[in-house]
Amino acid sequence: MDMPASWAEAIEGVNWAQFMQKVADYESVLAVLRSTWSKETLGEINEGRLFVPDDVLNDAIKQRIPPDSNVTALTLHGQKNGRLLVQAETRSFGAIELQGEIKEFVHQGDASYMVYRVREKNLPNHGLMSWVFSRISLSMAERMVGKVDFPDSLPTTIKGNTIRVDCSTALAESQLAKTEFQGHRLLDMVEIEGATPKEGGIEFDTKLNVPDDVRQALLEVLKEKSEGILHDRKEGGTS
């Protein structure tokens, strides 16, 4: 079938290099979105509350412990009294157990940090605590910002029984920080205003910091992803 002259002229006038670049750029955004959020996760973030179970956090932490580390095991347990129980097994100090409060857990733009105050006992070795809480902080952020390459160390300040860990430099190197969607850096879209331990996990106070049209576009992209996975499963004969 002959192509109408108007169509041929329109196609000839397309900047194909620019078009393919836009497609490539969009695919890179999709890849980051798919590896970071599910539709359900983004929906919870949008609603302002994201609950992350202990086992999810502990699995993330486990993956951040090198085989030759002084710390051989590290787990978190949210308590119904609002405290976070931290348990660690170490080669040098044996078993360590801390209970305390997450005073602040913040991600807003370029500011990302956690403040934890220990109750009931004094902090053991400060170098060890810097190591422990650096991994706790990034593992807690991971559900919202995706995988982060762990640096050798994170800036940590310990005053008395209060620990402050600055995650901003590490998060600035994440894929969310390097990817934009409709002119907005993905890392800037999610804000975390606080975190409260509850029985069985931690609840994060969150906000999607984007215009309504961008928020809806994000949800639609992840909706298509979820529906596509379901369709593929049905086509493959699996449930």
Side-chain angles (χ1 to χ4, degrees):
M1 182 177 68
D2 291 336
M3 184 178 295
S6 58
W7 286 20
E9 291 174 2
I11 289 173
E12 289 175 1
V14 171
N15 184 332
W16 289 105
Q18 186 179 52
F19 175 77
M20 293 306 295
Q21 182 60 51
K22 285 184 177 296
V23 170
D25 290 345
Y26 190 58
E27 283 299 320
S28 68
V29 171
L30 287 178
V32 174
L33 288 174
R34 287 168 178 160
S35 65
T36 307
W37 298 318
S38 66
K39 176 176 175 285
E40 291 72 25
T41 296
L42 193 62
E44 289 183 65
I45 292 172
N46 184 40
E47 291 297 322
R49 293 285 186 273
L50 176 66
F51 182 79
V52 183
D54 289 336
D55 58 352
V56 173
L57 291 168
N58 290 331
D59 183 62
I61 291 172
K62 183 178 180 180
Q63 295 178 39
R64 296 188 183 277
I65 301 178
D68 59 350
S69 170
N70 181 28
V71 176
T72 58
L74 177 61
T75 56
L76 308 179
H77 304 279
Q79 310 289 295
K80 62 182 180 181
N81 63 0
R83 292 189 178 182
L84 183 66
L85 172 64
V86 179
Q87 294 177 312
E89 294 289 338
T90 72
R91 302 182 199 276
S92 301
F93 303 98
I96 295 174
E97 182 174 299
L98 303 171
Q99 281 204 49
E101 302 157 348
I102 300 175
K103 304 297 291 184
E104 295 181 76
F105 193 91
V106 173
H107 169 66
Q108 294 177 339
D110 293 326
S112 305
Y113 62 91
M114 182 182 83
V115 177
Y116 180 86
R117 178 164 176 77
V118 176
R119 299 293 183 182
E120 298 177 357
K121 62 174 62 179
N122 292 326
L123 280 172
N125 180 275
H126 281 197
L128 175 63
M129 290 298 97
S130 295
W131 190 97
V132 165
F133 281 93
S134 290
R135 277 147 186 82
I136 288 174
S137 300
L138 283 188
S139 297
M140 286 172 61
E142 189 172 86
R143 184 67 177 267
M144 283 150 285
V145 304
K147 292 282 186 181
V148 180
D149 290 334
F150 203 91
D152 292 335
S153 63
L154 292 178
T156 305
T157 303
I158 299 178
K159 293 183 178 180
N161 281 355
T162 299
I163 305 163
R164 187 185 191 278
V165 182
D166 189 331
C167 305
S168 55
T169 302
L171 297 191
E173 294 300 315
S174 68
Q175 286 301 307
L176 280 193
K178 299 175 181 178
T179 307
E180 291 189 358
F181 181 79
Q182 297 191 10
H184 299 268
R185 195 173 68 150
L186 292 179
L187 184 64
D188 296 334
M189 291 183 180
V190 176
E191 291 190 359
I192 307 171
E193 299 176 330
T196 304
K198 297 192 172 184
E199 187 169 12
I202 299 176
E203 184 177 84
F204 295 87
D205 298 327
T206 60
K207 181 168 66 175
L208 272 183
N209 185 31
V210 289
D212 290 341
D213 58 336
V214 176
R215 179 184 293 109
Q216 190 57 41
L218 281 170
L219 292 168
E220 287 298 321
V221 166
L222 292 172
K223 178 182 177 183
E224 291 171 7
K225 167 201 166 185
S226 300
E227 290 176 348
I229 291 173
L230 181 60
H231 178 268
D232 289 345
R233 287 177 177 172
K234 288 180 177 178
E235 288 292 315
T238 59
S239 58

